[in-house]
Amino acid sequence: MKKQPSKKVLSINELSPDKVLARWLAEVSTLQQQYSLLNNYIAGTGELPQDPSAAGYVGQCTLRQLMSLCERLHSELADLLQDMKEPDQLSAQQKFNKLAMHTLQLEELNQHTQLMLHLAELPAS
């Protein structure tokens, strides 16, 4: 897996609609790509263990860790999308701030996922 260039974390002074929306789109795209990679690693292991404590490994990660991460990515994205859909009385600025916060959450998820993917690529010791 090729290393992605490090991304500059959004600061409060850089919050413009164009920048936040572009960053949000990039983070969602990255999340989708990494989710797909995780699923490929899981599928590549053959049959999934019925026992969650089973010691199947992918690189230096347990199969259970990768499965849990996939579940977390799916759940977090669903929560973020639901949060944006909820009817509310927020102003445009408040909705923008909410999207900016979601973008930061996506960045954190993507960083964690990138680390787990790296560990999955390493040979088991």
Side-chain angles (χ1 to χ4, degrees):
M1 182 170 64
K2 49 184 175 171
K3 185 174 180 169
Q4 298 194 5
S6 63
K7 297 176 190 171
K8 185 178 173 191
V9 175
L10 292 176
S11 76
I12 205 74
N13 298 327
E14 298 176 319
L15 295 178
S16 72
D18 290 343
K19 286 182 181 180
V20 170
L21 187 56
R23 188 60 148 265
W24 182 85
L25 287 170
E27 293 300 330
V28 168
S29 176
T30 299
L31 181 93
Q32 187 277 327
Q33 291 168 357
Q34 292 181 347
Y35 182 82
S36 181
L37 282 171
L38 282 170
N39 278 323
N40 288 342
Y41 277 123
I42 292 167
T45 62
E47 268 188 52
L48 298 179
Q50 298 299 317
D51 178 7
S53 64
Y57 278 84
V58 177
Q60 295 189 5
C61 296
T62 66
L63 185 55
R64 187 74 212 139
Q65 286 174 312
L66 295 181
M67 291 170 62
S68 293
L69 181 56
C70 271
E71 291 169 9
R72 179 176 171 218
L73 292 177
H74 185 267
S75 175
E76 290 281 342
L77 188 56
D79 290 347
L80 294 176
L81 291 173
Q82 183 61 37
D83 189 35
M84 290 305 287
K85 285 182 182 180
E86 288 181 2
D88 52 36
Q89 303 301 317
L90 297 179
S91 68
Q93 182 63 44
Q94 290 170 317
K95 288 180 182 179
F96 169 75
N97 289 344
K98 186 185 280 194
L99 185 62
M101 292 304 297
H102 288 182
T103 303
L104 293 173
Q105 288 175 290
L106 288 170
E107 283 181 356
E108 288 177 15
L109 282 172
N110 283 331
Q111 288 171 358
H112 178 73
T113 305
Q114 183 72 28
L115 174 64
M116 293 297 288
L117 286 169
H118 177 70
L119 291 172
E121 290 177 344
L122 294 176
S125 1

